[in-house]
Amino acid sequence: MSVRILALVGSLRAGSHNRQLAEAAVKLAPEGVEIAVHEGLAEIPFYNEDIDVEGTVPAAAAQLREAAAGADALLLFTPEYNGTIPAVLKNAIDWLSRPFGAGAIGGKPVVVAGTAFGQYGGVWAQDETRKAVGIAGGKVVEELKLAIPGSVTRFAETHPADDAEVAEQLTEVLNRLHALVDGEQAAA
Ligand SMILES: Cc1cc2nc3c(=O)[nH]c(=O)nc-3n(C[C@H](O)[C@H](O)[C@H](O)COP(=O)(O)O)c2cc1C
């Protein structure tokens, strides 16, 4: 049975290096793993309990919940904005965290990775993302991490999929996530 992974990207810009990392993951996905990069995070309004009511949930938020519910695991690629998680990704996590106790991210393995310009590759943002995901009910995969520094220069001319070191590290993350989900499915 194939493992379905939903990738979310915490940057909206067309030339995003985190989006490129997500594209690299799609390309490098091991056999038996399907990775879909979710589109439409920009269309989701800021989380608001007043509209998170049956009949008024925005379509883009409902689509995100549906995509997460249909996935076996999530892979979040995020830059760091001012030392923390970009609002677009936090908003997606907030929508996935509700209904309380039954959010679409609940119990799903979630790996957080990404690239940022700073020398640590956005580890603050990644740590904040892991914290939020865990509180939202996701099962943070703490042992799988990938933070690539120097995004703007490293990937100026080279797509992450064509960067041998990055491709190797990303492949390792994907293989280990595959094994983890396979193991969980076998035990279920
Ligand atoms: C508003 C803003 C804040 C940023 N803050 C940080 C930061 O705190 N740490 C860091 O390493 N890079 C920071 N950067 C640089 C980003 O990490 C870098 O531009 C990254 O490539 C953006 O991700 P993207 O290529 O996926 O769009 C910031 C960029 C922006 C636009």
Side-chain angles (χ1 to χ4, degrees), residues 9-20 77-84 115-125 149-153 155:
V9 178
S11 168
L12 299 178
R13 73 185 184 95
S16 162
H17 300 305
N18 284 280
R19 170 164 287 273
Q20 291 174 348
F77 291 98
T78 187
E80 184 168 277
Y81 279 2
N82 300 304
T84 188
T115 184
F117 189 50
Q119 62 177 320
Y120 301 111
V123 289
W124 283 341
S151 56
V152 178
T153 45
F155 301 124

Side-chain angles (χ1 to χ4, degrees), residues 1-5 31-35 70 72 178 181-182 185:
M1 208 174 79
S2 124
V3 167
R4 292 158 304 171
I5 296 177
E31 205 177 325
V33 174
E34 278 171 37
I35 301 177
D72 298 304
H178 185 198
V181 175
D182 261 354
Q185 288 177 343

Side-chain angles (χ1 to χ4, degrees), residues 125-172:
Q126 292 195 16
D127 285 346
E128 294 289 318
T129 302
R130 291 186 189 96
K131 182 172 80 173
V133 163
I135 293 173
K139 212 158 59 181
V140 177
V141 184
E142 292 283 354
E143 66 272 27
L144 294 184
K145 293 182 177 170
L146 180 57
I148 303 158
S151 56
V152 178
T153 45
R154 181 160 189 163
F155 301 124
E157 307 288 340
T158 310
H159 191 284
D162 301 321
D163 179 314
E165 189 188 23
V166 170
E168 188 186 325
Q169 290 171 332
L170 192 53
T171 301
E172 156 118 13

